[in-house]
Amino acid sequence: MQSFRTEIEDPIVQKDIIDLERKIALFRDGKIDDERFRSLRLARGVYGQRQEGVQMIRIKLPFGKVTSEQLHRICKVSDEYSTGRLHITTRQDIQIHYVSLDRTPELWAELEKDDVTLREACGNTVRNITASETAGIDAEEPFDVSPYAHALFQFFLRNPVCQEMGRKFKMSFSSSDKDTALSYLHDLGFIPKVVNGERGFKVMLGGGLGSQPSHAELLSEFIPVNQIIPTTEGVLRIFDRYGERAKRLKARLKFLIKDLGRDEFLRLVEEEKKALSYQTVEIDTTAFDGAIPTSILEVPKVVIEDTVAFEAWKKSNVFAQKQAGYVAIGIKVLLGDFYTDKARLLADLVKNYAANELRFSLRQNIVIRHIKEEDLPFFYQELAKLDFVTLGYNTIGDITACPGTDTCNLGIASSTGIADELERVLKTEYPQYSNNQEIAIKISGCMNACGQHNMAEIGFQGMSINAGKLVAPALQVLLGGGNLGNGEGRFSDKVIKIPSRRGPDALRYILNDFEANANGLSFLNYYDAKGEKYFYEFLKPLADVTNLTEADFVDWGNADNYVKAVGVGECAGVVIDLVATLIFEAKDKLTFAQEAFEDKKWSDAIYLAYAGFVNGAKALLLAENEKTNHHAGIIDLFDTVFIESKKIELDSPFKDLVYQIKADEPSEAFAQKYIQDAITFFGKIEAYRAKDLANA
């Protein structure tokens, strides 16, 4: 199992993987408690799943971009360590399931051979940065946002500022004002703009879905491109310092902004400017500005026999690029699941005959880019062999669904089972909707909205419903959500809860009424004209639980009667703070700070020392049965409990000592002083702790 160590060229990556292996061994030996270990593995893309003893591995693919070599590497890993199934998520990641925990370091090492990482794909970190899958080819884009998404990914990967926040942090880059990356429901959402010839972004702040969806607020109408990394770092620093840590359901950025108010939050961000690692960051775009590469092999000429099917496919799944003469192909992937046998052939196809690049989409699909129009017959022929020419890319029949009760601990009802059935209903009963891109259907297995159900025109959320002494799987029907463009969107209304087995009938009722009564209105205008109560009334008969049959107690895609079983969620698990663990971690932070200083990374060294201050202070507060819910509270309370009471003697208030971080620029001299201050402080708290234990 150790051989992978010598195969990783990047020493930082090698250290990371070895650390995971070491922590797994400590966990197996009972030297790290389960909750603390969970936090560590989540930040390395290792996520517990519903089935005991195996893990889901999330592979982080910035803005969904993947090369042939990377896809082959992912396939190799999936076949060797998993089951050969690849799952595309709504954040453009790839997930593989049923992986042994003990083999995750080897798996990670294999992926890194082609520059693919697991780092910070889960946990309380900056998650995968998403972008419109059409970025770089969108005819309406002011410029390609891909290099800017990539730059943010690189800058914040392993960045000390965002390793142990109170909750996850999500960012997106849309290619144009259509806002197809949904900026309004992200912690930070970027929409490209050109003002007076200068590139920049409209930036949205503090959006989110979950059980309490929140529309992002405007941070700025225009931030120049060289300011997006400093702006993001400032936001992350304030979120890390003031964000809720005790109450998980209130720990997202949207709640902090609501509590502080937008103006006060932005004042704190502005106050942080002096401490930032860089005041401006120029982003290199040259890697994305080159000419479209020619294919390795000459594309064969092909004559299509079924021209009707070919033309239907072109109309449904092919769209023009901004580059003259080139088109992109959308592959509709049922529920985001595809398998390594076909993935390998697809990887070979784009390497040999296209530009060696795929993009995974927010709707769990695949886009092949840079195809010459005259080569479409060949690609249609080859994709048909892989069963990748199903019509309906990005249409109503292209349903988004999370894994739900298939593998997720939090799943309440089946997402994939009902999605399968709804797609069948649309295909067989509503062929007139085959190219409808106005209505999106999205399904989540619980309130956490991984399937984005509460921002769709038609959404379903997995629930349960009581029917006497029995419990049946149920669906909350939501209507009226949608993306309006340029940072504006709307969330859907919770209309009615029905047994899951009646989900297809609910869809039939809605579409039938729309056809009969919309009179040319768009779906959202029709919904607004009729109002929520109107839909509730005609769906109400489906909510009656007095007439349930035996079949109603079996969820979609299952053979056995429904049992509501919800495990512990791991999307960003809260860490149990044990005094000894925190002191140990504070020591680690100071060691890492010194290593960063030796590498001349002044800003990283300073922030790691800051984390050492906070962890050490928190440890002593917990030992006194004092609790706080954010970093700023820890700093204030430490002064009250230990400094003002003279239990610990410092030359200044603790607050002044720690908050040097925002008063001084990240220079070599300040980094050296700040680390020494932290080491001195830590010596005092260790002495106090030793004395306290001796007197216990």
Side-chain angles (χ1 to χ4, degrees):
M1 183 173 169
Q2 310 304 316
S3 61
F4 68 84
R5 296 185 179 188
T6 58
E7 296 176 14
I8 303 300
E9 295 181 4
D10 188 331
I12 296 173
V13 174
Q14 186 182 78
K15 181 180 176 183
D16 227 356
I17 295 172
I18 292 171
D19 184 54
L20 175 61
E21 181 191 32
R22 183 171 64 90
K23 293 292 173 56
I24 290 172
L26 290 171
F27 171 66
R28 294 297 194 202
D29 290 343
K31 295 177 181 178
I32 299 179
D33 72 278
D34 183 66
E35 292 298 319
R36 185 63 208 153
F37 179 66
R38 179 192 303 174
S39 175
L40 180 137
R41 62 175 166 77
L42 284 171
R44 287 146 182 82
V46 182
Y47 189 108
Q49 67 181 64
R50 198 176 189 92
Q51 293 75 15
E52 191 173 345
V54 290
Q55 313 294 315
M56 178 271 283
I57 303 301
R58 184 175 292 150
I59 298 168
K60 197 172 188 179
L61 298 168
F63 53 98
K65 179 178 180 289
V66 64
T67 64
S68 170
E69 292 81 5
Q70 288 174 324
L71 186 53
H72 268 294
R73 179 65 60 184
I74 292 168
C75 289
K76 183 178 187 297
V77 159
S78 181
D79 284 341
E80 185 172 347
Y81 298 92
S82 179
T83 62
R85 186 186 73 159
L86 308 176
H87 177 72
I88 307 169
T89 76
T90 55
R91 296 206 61 76
Q92 299 173 300
D93 298 302
I94 285 288
Q95 292 178 175
I96 61 176
H97 295 82
Y98 302 99
V99 176
S100 165
L101 174 64
D102 295 324
R103 302 192 74 193
T104 54
E106 300 171 55
L107 179 154
W108 187 0
E110 279 294 314
L111 288 172
E112 288 284 357
K113 292 176 183 177
D114 280 297
D115 199 25
V116 178
T117 190
L118 309 181
R119 182 71 197 225
E120 294 146 54
C122 308
N124 300 327
T125 61
V126 170
R127 297 292 187 86
N128 197 32
I129 297 174
T130 60
S132 303
E133 62 271 18
T134 54
I137 62 173
D138 186 347
E140 298 183 29
E141 68 183 17
F143 54 87
D144 184 3
V145 301
S146 304
Y148 303 100
H150 186 68
L152 256 72
F153 157 71
Q154 286 188 313
F155 189 86
F156 291 106
L157 187 71
R158 296 184 177 86
N159 193 306
V161 171
C162 50
Q163 293 306 298
E164 297 176 349
M165 299 181 293
R167 279 292 252 130
K168 57 192 172 184
F169 194 94
K170 296 181 177 181
M171 292 188 274
S172 74
F173 283 79
S174 288
S175 60
S176 72
D177 282 359
K178 284 186 176 179
D179 198 12
T180 54
L182 311 173
S183 67
Y184 64 95
L185 53 82
H186 283 78
D187 295 295
L188 281 176
F190 298 86
I191 303 170
K193 304 285 182 181
V194 175
V195 176
N196 298 325
E198 182 181 16
R199 288 184 177 188
F201 291 92
K202 178 178 181 176
V203 184
M204 304 300 294
L205 171 74
L209 288 177
S211 59
Q212 300 180 53
S214 179
H215 195 294
E217 299 188 41
L218 178 68
L219 189 152
S220 175
E221 283 287 355
F222 185 80
I223 292 179
V225 292
N226 65 5
Q227 284 290 314
I228 61 170
I229 286 178
T231 298
T232 301
E233 184 182 349
V235 169
L236 285 167
R237 281 171 172 259
I238 298 307
F239 179 48
D240 190 37
R241 189 170 305 150
Y242 293 91
E244 173 69 46
R245 289 171 184 269
K247 301 172 184 175
R248 180 175 178 275
L249 295 178
K250 295 288 185 180
R252 289 295 299 274
L253 179 66
K254 60 186 178 182
F255 296 110
L256 177 60
I257 292 171
K258 184 178 179 181
D259 290 344
L260 293 176
R262 173 186 175 276
D263 292 344
E264 173 62 10
F265 180 86
L266 294 181
R267 185 193 70 78
L268 290 169
V269 171
E270 181 68 21
E271 195 178 77
E272 203 70 18
K273 263 191 174 180
K274 196 172 185 180
L276 298 180
S277 48
Y278 301 95
Q279 296 302 307
T280 61
V281 178
E282 301 299 332
I283 294 172
D284 183 6
T285 64
T286 54
F288 295 85
D289 286 344
I292 298 171
T294 56
S295 60
I296 294 174
L297 302 178
E298 185 178 347
V299 177
K301 299 300 178 186
V302 169
V303 176
I304 298 296
E305 294 182 4
D306 190 345
T307 56
V308 173
F310 176 60
E311 292 300 324
W313 172 76
K314 284 203 299 182
K315 180 179 179 182
S316 174
N317 292 31
V318 177
F319 52 96
Q321 296 188 180
K322 69 178 184 181
Q323 294 87 355
Y326 286 87
V327 295
I329 298 170
I331 298 174
K332 180 177 178 289
V333 182
L334 179 63
L335 303 178
D337 289 335
F338 67 123
Y339 292 83
T340 55
D341 55 347
K342 293 181 179 180
R344 282 190 172 88
L345 295 173
L346 181 64
D348 291 340
L349 182 67
V350 299
K351 182 178 179 65
N352 292 328
Y353 298 105
N356 194 28
E357 180 185 339
L358 297 170
R359 298 267 176 121
F360 297 127
S361 83
L362 299 168
R363 290 184 68 165
Q364 302 174 288
N365 291 320
I366 300 171
V367 175
I368 307 177
R369 302 149 67 89
H370 304 317
I371 306 300
K372 292 179 180 178
E373 287 188 72
E374 61 264 30
D375 295 337
L376 276 173
F378 170 74
F379 278 89
Y380 175 73
Q381 170 190 277
E382 296 306 304
L383 291 172
K385 294 175 184 176
L386 303 179
D387 197 25
F388 278 167
V389 293
T390 303
L391 304 185
Y393 173 80
N394 275 3
T395 67
I396 186 175
D398 191 0
I399 295 175
T400 299
C402 69
T405 51
D406 289 359
T407 55
C408 179
N409 274 322
L410 292 178
I412 297 174
S414 172
S415 307
T416 57
I418 182 63
D420 262 335
E421 180 61 17
L422 294 184
E423 288 209 7
R424 187 197 66 77
V425 168
L426 287 164
K427 183 177 180 180
T428 58
E429 300 177 29
Y430 296 89
Q432 67 271 35
Y433 284 88
S434 60
N435 286 317
N436 183 299
Q437 295 188 343
E438 175 194 311
I439 303 170
I441 299 175
K442 296 179 182 286
I443 305 171
S444 300
C446 75
M447 65 182 181
N448 282 326
C450 295
Q452 302 176 337
H453 65 276
N454 44 12
M455 55 73 60
E457 285 78 9
I458 301 175
F460 296 94
Q461 176 195 328
M463 308 185 85
S464 62
I465 195 167
N466 293 323
K469 294 181 179 180
L470 299 175
V471 178
L475 294 168
Q476 178 82 56
V477 181
L478 301 97
L479 298 171
N483 175 24
L484 305 178
N486 199 26
E488 296 294 326
R490 47 189 279 175
F491 298 117
S492 46
D493 296 324
K494 296 177 181 178
V495 177
I496 197 167
K497 182 165 76 169
I498 61 173
S500 288
R501 283 284 170 177
R502 296 174 185 173
D505 279 339
L507 180 62
R508 292 182 181 102
Y509 283 23
I510 293 163
L511 294 182
N512 291 344
D513 191 84
F514 177 57
E515 287 198 352
N517 299 310
N519 297 318
L521 293 174
S522 69
F523 185 85
L524 290 182
N525 287 339
Y526 146 77
Y527 178 76
D528 290 342
K530 295 295 186 180
E532 179 184 344
K533 187 176 180 182
Y534 172 82
F535 293 88
Y536 172 81
E537 290 297 335
F538 78 66
L539 291 170
K540 189 175 178 181
L542 298 177
D544 184 3
V545 295
T546 64
N547 57 359
L548 296 184
T549 67
E550 193 173 315
D552 288 310
F553 293 95
V554 180
D555 206 355
W556 292 103
N558 289 269
D560 300 323
N561 276 6
Y562 174 75
V563 176
K564 182 179 178 180
V566 182
V568 177
E570 296 201 337
C571 291
V574 174
V575 175
I576 293 177
D577 293 316
L578 305 174
V579 175
T581 300
L582 277 172
I583 289 176
F584 175 77
E585 287 178 350
K587 281 185 175 179
D588 268 357
K589 294 294 188 295
L590 297 182
T591 300
F592 298 152
Q594 289 173 307
E595 289 175 357
F597 181 83
E598 289 167 6
D599 289 339
K600 303 186 185 305
K601 297 178 179 178
W602 317 133
S603 181
D604 286 3
I606 292 163
Y607 209 87
L608 286 162
Y610 162 80
F613 272 123
V614 173
N615 277 5
K618 187 174 185 178
L620 257 61
L621 287 168
L622 284 176
E624 300 282 331
N625 293 317
E626 300 280 356
K627 294 182 180 179
T628 64
N629 59 349
H630 49 63
H631 281 184
I634 291 169
I635 295 164
D636 287 341
L637 190 60
F638 192 86
D639 269 329
T640 302
V641 174
F642 292 103
I643 307 306
E644 293 171 11
S645 66
K646 305 294 185 182
K647 290 181 179 179
I648 294 177
E649 297 282 348
L650 295 178
D651 293 335
S652 68
F654 183 59
K655 186 175 184 178
D656 292 349
L657 187 63
V658 177
Y659 283 155
Q660 292 177 89
I661 191 174
K662 60 181 181 179
D664 290 84
E665 295 178 1
S667 64
E668 178 181 4
F670 174 59
Q672 188 172 37
K673 177 184 182 299
Y674 195 64
I675 292 169
Q676 188 55 53
D677 286 345
I679 291 170
T680 301
F681 168 74
F682 199 80
K684 292 190 176 186
I685 67 170
E686 280 201 303
Y688 178 86
R689 176 68 174 157
K691 182 180 177 181
D692 193 41
L693 289 174
N695 294 331

